């Protein structure tokens, strides 16, 4: 099911995008008061390692490092060699000890109205210590892996920090993923404990989480020893005696003191699974010191965070990397006050997010273009009902923000006064890599602008040569950076092959990019078999594997087709097994629905195809590779491109004919 990569060279409508170019200069007041000034770029390029060593001083270390970077065995980096620190201590205790225990760390807002809770740093410290003591009692020790499958509630943050405090790497699995997806992650990293909840509130109703955990435990065999369950929704749950433990019973009565031990800078902090170009998600490993330095510095500089006065809100779910770096580790290491919201933006009404901004006086707001496009469609009357004058800075992440959405975000949400930071990064990079710096860099709608200080990025052609201004190619990172992934959990070879083999010595991000005439970077989307649906990464191959695991499917090809709201949408082309239909019979809608549900069960609702089309043949090259490029043309209702390399060029006209008569979800 591999693709013809040569056809995937970055192109797309960038010219159109750039024609609409406008510049938003930094507001004068911000330029005067921003945390960083323009000189920081020169300082970092004069001595990159000294620059990062200076940023490391932002944290508390129990042992100082002896060497900033050990790059003697690339691509296996070691940052802050010999240094020791405790991530949870840095995110919590240190702020209490500095006299800021009364500062609110989390303003938590549940989805049901009036279900709110604010935790100060001192309260967070108590909770994290209690949870650390409870986990220790359950047998969790440094090095043990703990899976976290939770809704967006304060206990999720507490659980992550408790794991970090014990040196037990966590793997947070997005609550929208299926039992199968949870099981495969639990098995891959060998998690002996799962922390979960009975459920959470989404779209006005309680949804369940525990049944998926029970199913995953069954699938994972005897790996999981304990399941710690938070009571959130009061719904009934099945209980396995000896394995299941209530959070309030195990954690509630523990002591609030716990000694945080320093761990080696390279001690694993967490594993986050992300989709790659093959069927099996990759466990991206982040370690403690470099990751915390990278996220802490970038959160402070890119969001110009003033911890005493700002109220920061990142709308990402904690199950994704954005929730890790810019809801947990970055903001908390900086002592920020932030909002955490459990539910969906339109519950109980379409202005819920704006109401929260008004209520808590949010000053910095970080979200994804797909959300902004949804709000645009609903009309500006809804946000206009709320007072959002507290906002001073806006952020965007997950995909390129199209100029129209950028301008709307700037005008309607930002009241024409808030700069926008379009932040490019990945699960693998751990920290923001390409972004404007507020107060320093101008913003251009659609461009993530330039590599941050201390980061070396380039756009290269197929021969790995840097392209000039005005040209396109592939985005690469040419020097190691502190929060970089260290490997793929349990698979060093795959780590080397995936990221470091395409352009030897350089990290290949998998994104196409172009430099404009000023040398600013414009991201053009993935150049591999990875789709971006609502800012979430999905692998075409993973969904194809899910489809062919259905007994009625013989073969499947999946493409990401452009979608006005979600950026891309999953479109599948399937060949059914002969036994699935009677001769001459058309695939009934019920079968299509069955296949969509099957994908949901295998992976999760986000992977459910928008459209499934039953075909007789798939377009393949003579060597048998599926030409997804042609399928994408069909799915996007475009004239089909060059078909001369197809083994049978008549296949495409059959598919096109069928497409015009198929229905979309
Ligand atoms: O294609 C890029 C896109 O999202 C990918 C990374 O996805 P993930 O690891 O899930 O992390 C998402 C949140 C950091 C990238 O390879 N992407 C992310 N941010 C941007 C972006 N594309 C363009 N502009 C961005 N600001």
């Amino acid at each position: 099911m591999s693709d013809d990569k040569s056809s995937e060279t970055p192109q797309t409508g960038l010219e159109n995008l750039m024609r609409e170019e406008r510049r938003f200069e930094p507001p004068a007041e911000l330029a005067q008061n921003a945390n960083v000034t323009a000189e920081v770029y020169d300082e970092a390029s004069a001595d990159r390692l000294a620059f990062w060593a200076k940023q490391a001083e932002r944290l508390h270390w129990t042992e100082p490092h002896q060497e900033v970077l050990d790059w003697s065995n690339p691509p296996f980096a070691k940052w802050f060699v010999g240094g020791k620190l405790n991530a949870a201590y840095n995110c919590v205790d240190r702020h209490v000890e500095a006299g800021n225990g009364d500062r609110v760390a989390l303003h938590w807002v549940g989805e049901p109205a009036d279900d709110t809770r604010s935790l100060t740093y001192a309260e967070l410290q108590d909770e994290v210590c209690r949870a650390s003591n409870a986990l220790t009692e359950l047998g969790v020790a440094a090095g043990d892996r703990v899976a976290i499958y939770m809704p967006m509630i304060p206990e999720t943050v507490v659980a992550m920090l408790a794991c970090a405090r014990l040196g037990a790497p966590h793997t947070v699995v997005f609550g929208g993923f299926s039992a199968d997806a949870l099981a495969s992650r639990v098995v891959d990293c060998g998690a002996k404990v799962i922390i979960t909840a009975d459920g959470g509130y989404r779209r006005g109703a309680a949804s369940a989480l525990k049944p998926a955990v029970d199913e995953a435990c069954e699938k994972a065999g005897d790996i999981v020893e304990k399941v710690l369950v938070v009571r959130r929704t009061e719904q009934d749950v099945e209980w396995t005696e000896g394995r299941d433990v209530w959070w309030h019973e195990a954690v509630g009565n523990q002591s609030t003191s716990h000694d945080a031990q320093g761990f080696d800078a390279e001690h694993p902090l967490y594993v986050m699974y992300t989709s790659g170009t093959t069927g099996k998600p990759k466990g991206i490993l982040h370690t403690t010191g470099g990751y915390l330095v990278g996220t802490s510095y970038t959160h402070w500089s890119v969001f110009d965070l003033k911890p005493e006065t700002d109220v920061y809100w990142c709308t990402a779910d904690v199950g994704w990397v954005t929730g890790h770096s810019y809801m947990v580790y970055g903001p908390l290491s900086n002592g920020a006050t932030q909002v955490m919201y459990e539910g969906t933006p339109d519950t109980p009404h379409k202005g819920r997010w704006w109401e929260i901004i008004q209520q808590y006086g949010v000053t910095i707001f970080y979200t994804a273009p797909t959300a902004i496009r949804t709000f645009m469609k609903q009309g500006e009357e809804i946000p206009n009902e709320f007072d959002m004058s507290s906002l001073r800075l806006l952020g965007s992440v997950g995909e390129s923000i199209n100029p129209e959405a950028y301008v709307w975000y700037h005008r309607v949400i930002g009241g024409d006064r808030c700069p926008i930071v379009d932040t490019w990064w990945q699960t693998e990079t751990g920290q923001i890599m390409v972004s404007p710096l507020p107060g320093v860099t101008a913003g251009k709608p659609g461009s993530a602008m330039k590599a941050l200080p201390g980061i070396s990025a380039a756009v290269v052609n197929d021969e790995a040569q840097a392209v000039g201004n005005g040209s396109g190619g592939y985005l690469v990172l040419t020097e190691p950076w502190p929060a970089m992934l260290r490997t793929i959990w349990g698979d060093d070879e795959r780590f080397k092959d995936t990221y470091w083999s395409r352009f030897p010595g350089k990290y290949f991000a998998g994104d196409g990019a172009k430099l404009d005439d000023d040398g600013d970077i414009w991201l053009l989307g993935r150049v591999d078999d990875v789709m971006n649906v609502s800012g979430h990464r999905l692998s075409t191959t993973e969904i194809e594997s899910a489809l062919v695991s259905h007994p009625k499917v013989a073969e499947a090809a999946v493409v990401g087709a452009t979608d006005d709201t979600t950026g891309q949408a999953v479109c599948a082309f399937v060949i059914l097994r002969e036994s699935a239909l009677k001769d001459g019979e058309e695939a009934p809608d019920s079968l299509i629905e069955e296949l969509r549900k099957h994908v949901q069960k295998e992976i999760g609702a986000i992977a459910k195809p928008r459209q499934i089309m039953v075909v007789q043949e798939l377009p393949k090259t003579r060597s048998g590779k599926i030409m997804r490029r042609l399928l994408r043309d069909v799915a996007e209702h475009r004239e089909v491109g060059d078909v001369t390399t197809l083994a049978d060029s008549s296949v495409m006209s059959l598919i096109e004919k069928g497409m015009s008569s198929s229905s979309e979800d």
Side-chain angles (χ1 to χ4, degrees):
M1 275 182 234
S2 59
D3 206 343
D4 55 333
K5 288 266 160 36
S6 57
S7 63
E8 305 292 334
T9 332
Q11 9 101 8
T12 71
L14 187 83
E15 272 65 34
N16 287 339
L17 204 73
M18 288 168 59
R19 222 178 292 133
E20 296 174 34
E21 184 185 310
R22 278 173 65 183
R23 277 177 79 89
F24 290 86
E25 296 299 336
E29 205 206 318
L30 180 63
Q32 273 162 21
N33 299 310
N35 284 348
V36 289
T37 58
E39 287 74 51
V40 72
Y41 290 103
D42 293 338
E43 180 198 333
S45 54
D47 190 340
R48 199 171 50 87
L49 296 185
F51 170 81
W52 285 118
K54 184 170 149 194
Q55 306 318 326
E57 289 169 18
R58 306 170 48 75
L59 301 178
H60 172 273
W61 299 77
T62 57
E63 294 269 346
H65 63 262
Q66 269 106 48
E67 197 185 350
V68 180
L69 169 69
D70 175 355
W71 192 232
S72 58
N73 180 29
F76 300 98
K78 289 185 184 149
W79 279 87
F80 308 112
V81 183
K84 286 193 173 162
L85 75 170
N86 186 289
Y89 177 88
N90 272 285
C91 288
V92 185
D93 307 53
R94 161 170 91 109
H95 308 310
V96 179
E97 285 168 23
N100 295 319
D102 290 340
R103 184 185 297 163
V104 171
L106 286 181
H107 284 297
W108 176 75
V109 184
E111 197 187 77
D114 301 328
D115 195 359
T116 60
R117 190 175 155 201
S118 291
L119 270 104
T120 63
Y121 273 93
E123 288 165 338
L124 185 61
Q125 183 184 33
D126 286 352
E127 294 294 319
V128 173
C129 288
R130 278 199 190 104
S132 303
N133 287 324
L135 286 174
T136 307
E137 219 169 84
L138 292 177
V140 175
D144 290 340
R145 276 82 61 204
V146 176
I148 298 179
Y149 186 65
M150 294 275 266
M152 288 281 285
I153 54 176
E155 285 81 357
T156 312
V157 177
V158 171
M160 290 166 75
L161 292 171
C163 289
R165 194 174 186 97
L166 297 175
H170 54 71
T171 187
V172 182
V173 180
F174 173 55
F177 275 131
S178 66
D180 284 2
L182 173 62
S184 71
R185 286 154 172 79
V186 164
V187 170
D188 190 75
C189 73
K192 68 192 255 190
V193 170
I194 302 181
I195 306 178
T196 188
D198 51 1
Y201 288 97
R202 275 188 85 73
R203 294 187 208 291
S207 63
L209 284 172
K210 178 71 169 41
V213 173
D214 292 336
E215 205 183 318
C217 286
E218 214 163 277
K219 292 200 158 87
D222 50 11
I223 294 179
V224 181
E225 294 168 17
K226 295 282 174 197
V227 175
L228 193 52
V229 190
V230 177
R231 232 313 160 236
R232 161 75 187 123
T233 60
E234 303 293 330
Q235 57 194 305
D236 286 341
V237 290
E238 298 271 321
W239 206 250
T240 303
E241 286 305 331
R243 185 197 71 187
D244 297 350
V245 183
W246 283 115
W247 172 282
H248 56 268
E249 286 173 6
V251 176
N253 297 327
Q254 296 287 344
S255 151
T256 54
S257 60
H258 180 272
D259 200 18
Q261 183 195 330
F263 290 100
D264 192 275
E266 284 302 329
H267 189 81
L269 180 63
Y270 70 82
V271 180
M272 167 106 259
Y273 285 85
T274 187
S275 295
T277 52
T278 69
K280 191 172 169 256
K282 301 174 287 197
I284 304 300
L285 174 67
H286 285 293
T287 58
T288 310
Y291 176 80
L292 210 58
V293 171
T295 53
S296 185
Y297 173 69
T298 50
H299 181 260
W300 174 81
S301 58
V302 173
F303 296 103
D304 187 45
L305 181 84
K306 309 284 196 282
E308 301 79 18
T309 49
D310 276 320
V311 179
Y312 165 85
W313 183 17
C314 164
T315 64
D317 191 283
V318 74
W320 307 105
V321 75
T322 308
H324 282 51
S325 298
Y326 297 106
M327 212 190 88
V328 178
Y329 292 107
L332 294 178
S333 67
N334 287 325
T337 293
Q338 63 178 322
V339 167
M340 175 181 192
Y341 173 54
E342 179 187 33
T344 48
D346 52 359
T347 310
H349 57 82
K350 291 196 167 76
R352 187 76 198 266
W353 277 11
W354 321 127
E355 185 180 62
I356 292 172
I357 290 178
Q358 172 179 284
Q359 197 170 349
Y360 290 92
V362 172
T363 57
I364 305 170
F365 183 62
Y366 191 29
T367 194
T370 182
I372 299 164
R373 287 192 298 265
T374 306
F375 296 127
M376 275 175 77
K377 280 194 187 148
Q378 293 166 356
E380 60 192 82
E381 304 73 35
I382 299 171
N384 284 348
E385 278 172 36
F386 299 90
D387 175 6
M388 292 192 277
S389 56
S390 57
L391 286 172
R392 67 178 191 92
L393 184 64
L394 304 174
S396 172
V397 63
E399 61 179 299
S400 292
I401 173 161
N402 48 306
E404 204 191 354
Y406 185 112
V407 170
W408 189 90
Y409 193 28
H410 190 270
R411 182 174 60 82
V412 179
I413 307 305
D416 275 327
R417 66 179 187 281
C418 306
I420 296 177
V421 286
D422 175 2
T423 62
W424 177 89
W425 59 294
Q426 307 178 297
T427 305
E428 291 87 341
T429 68
Q431 63 180 80
I432 297 171
M433 305 296 281
V434 181
S435 165
L437 278 179
V440 177
T441 328
K444 294 179 189 170
S447 168
M449 302 304 286
K450 52 198 219 171
L452 288 180
I455 299 301
S456 309
V459 179
V460 298
N461 61 19
D462 277 309
E463 284 75 47
Q465 286 151 345
V467 304
N469 289 356
S471 301
Y474 307 95
L475 186 70
V476 294
L477 302 166
T478 54
E479 297 288 349
W481 63 99
M484 66 195 280
L485 77 166
R486 297 304 195 260
T487 189
I488 292 175
W489 185 263
D491 203 344
D492 286 349
E493 279 311 307
R494 192 173 173 203
F495 169 59
K496 287 197 260 183
D497 287 353
T498 310
Y499 304 106
W500 303 92
S501 64
R502 175 84 189 258
F503 302 110
K506 297 182 173 76
Y507 171 89
F508 172 48
D511 279 294
K514 184 156 178 164
L515 298 178
D516 68 14
D517 292 340
D518 303 325
D520 292 322
I521 300 172
W522 297 66
L523 276 309
L524 303 179
R526 302 289 305 190
V527 293
D528 53 14
D529 296 340
V530 172
M531 289 171 289
N532 189 327
V533 178
S534 299
H536 297 140
R537 239 158 102 168
L538 291 173
S539 149
T540 54
T541 327
E542 201 181 341
I543 301 176
E544 286 164 1
S545 304
L547 282 165
V548 293
S549 74
H550 190 284
K552 291 183 182 155
V553 176
E555 224 182 317
V558 166
V559 296
T562 307
D563 183 282
D564 279 354
T565 307
T566 58
Q568 285 189 312
V570 180
C571 287
F573 297 79
V574 299
I575 301 178
L576 295 176
R577 286 184 189 280
E578 277 178 26
S579 54
L581 294 177
K582 292 192 201 91
D583 259 353
E585 191 190 8
E586 291 240 331
D589 288 350
S590 59
L591 175 59
I592 303 293
E593 195 44 34
E594 187 180 322
L595 297 182
R596 296 179 70 237
K597 287 223 174 89
H598 180 72
V599 175
Q600 174 172 3
K601 186 187 162 294
E602 292 287 305
I603 304 172
I606 43 165
K608 224 167 142 180
R610 178 184 74 180
Q611 182 172 25
I612 296 182
M613 192 186 160
V614 174
V615 295
Q616 301 300 321
E617 296 282 349
L618 288 169
K620 290 186 183 160
T621 60
R622 281 174 204 100
S623 59
K625 289 180 180 166
I626 295 172
M627 293 191 72
R628 291 196 185 76
R629 163 173 70 81
L630 299 177
L631 294 174
R632 215 159 27 234
D633 288 341
V634 174
E636 292 176 353
H637 311 289
R638 255 199 318 271
E639 198 171 316
V640 170
D642 184 6
V643 295
T644 49
T645 50
L646 279 182
D648 174 0
S649 57
S650 66
V651 169
M652 282 319 294
S653 42
L654 279 176
I655 293 179
E656 279 183 283
K657 234 183 262 158
M659 186 73 176
S660 53
S661 62
S662 86
S663 63
E664 298 200 4
D665 178 50

